[in-house]
Amino acid sequence: MDSLPPQRAAVLAFLRRELAAGRAPSLAEIAAAFGFASRNAAQKHVQALVGEGLLTLVPGQKRGLRLPGGGADVLPLAVLGRVAAGTPIGADIGLDQQLWLDRRLFSPAPDYLLKVQGDSMIDDGILDGDLVGVHRTADARDGQTVVARVDGELTIKRLQRARRQIRLLPRNPAHAPIVVEADQDFAIEGVYCGLVRLG
């Protein structure tokens, strides 16, 4: 790093901080952080750092920067929207945010992250503002914490299957269970597999 021009060294230090915190900056964000007139200047620095082996770039990914040696333990995860820990809410799919996280934080490996809104799962340690990892599957066992879609809206709750009835149980006594009626549109979107608390 001592042999790098000062500005390139500053870009590398910035990228190392961001990537270590689980954020992979876009070229536009790098340009904005350094006051570059265009993304081209940021791209030249990134390409030079990749060429020197100080960064690696995952082809075809919008935020494909990673630290060398991150290897298979680093998992890029998109934040796809919000999930209710309370009354179900619509998911705002398509948020432009991606985090690079250690896959050992999760079991099984998640396919995406959702931001929790509400406090119905606090007794399970899932708090408002947490990012929950979701493993995409339509199958879940009784007692698992799931992300479910009820009449087009998402919620995170503990699944309870009883005789011909499905209940979604909160983990906060201030909230009532959601009883899924036979005529409701219901689907399990995935199972909870861990969380990240930022800040």
Side-chain angles (χ1 to χ4, degrees):
M1 190 157 157
D2 292 340
S3 63
L4 293 176
Q7 191 171 54
R8 190 154 298 154
V11 170
L12 178 59
F14 167 75
L15 291 172
R16 282 180 172 167
R17 275 195 314 274
E18 292 294 295
L19 292 169
R23 296 181 292 268
S26 66
L27 291 175
E29 289 165 346
I30 297 167
F34 287 90
F36 298 148
S38 73
R39 291 184 303 184
N40 290 343
Q43 186 170 13
K44 285 179 184 173
H45 284 295
V46 167
Q47 286 173 337
L49 292 168
V50 169
E52 297 217 18
L54 298 169
L55 285 176
T56 58
L57 190 58
V58 180
Q61 286 194 8
K62 185 176 178 185
R63 296 173 180 266
L65 289 176
R66 65 169 30 163
L67 295 172
D73 289 338
V74 179
L75 189 65
L77 292 169
V79 181
L80 293 185
R82 297 174 299 143
V83 63
T87 306
I89 56 172
D92 42 6
I93 298 300
L95 294 184
D96 185 21
Q97 185 180 5
Q98 186 176 46
L99 299 179
W100 290 76
L101 300 170
D102 188 332
R103 71 173 61 239
R104 293 170 295 190
L105 295 171
F106 303 97
S107 180
D111 295 297
Y112 57 91
L113 300 168
L114 291 172
K115 187 171 186 178
V116 174
Q117 183 175 313
D119 65 356
S120 72
M121 296 299 287
I122 59 173
D123 286 353
D124 278 356
I126 301 172
L127 308 181
D128 186 62
D130 286 348
L131 294 174
V132 292
V134 182
H135 176 67
R136 190 177 284 121
T137 180
D139 299 319
R141 296 185 314 276
D142 186 52
Q144 277 188 300
T145 299
V146 299
V147 172
R149 185 176 300 275
V150 182
D151 291 335
E153 298 182 328
L154 292 180
T155 189
I156 183 167
K157 297 285 184 290
R158 195 173 284 188
L159 179 67
Q160 182 184 63
R161 295 183 189 271
R163 287 182 232 116
R164 287 185 245 149
Q165 186 184 63
I166 294 174
R167 289 164 35 108
L168 301 171
L169 306 178
R171 300 294 293 143
N172 177 343
H175 292 264
I178 297 171
V179 177
V180 180
E181 303 294 340
D183 61 345
Q184 284 185 290
D185 178 29
F186 171 78
I188 293 171
E189 295 288 319
V191 295
Y192 165 79
C193 53
L195 66 80
V196 177
R197 188 165 295 145
L198 300 177

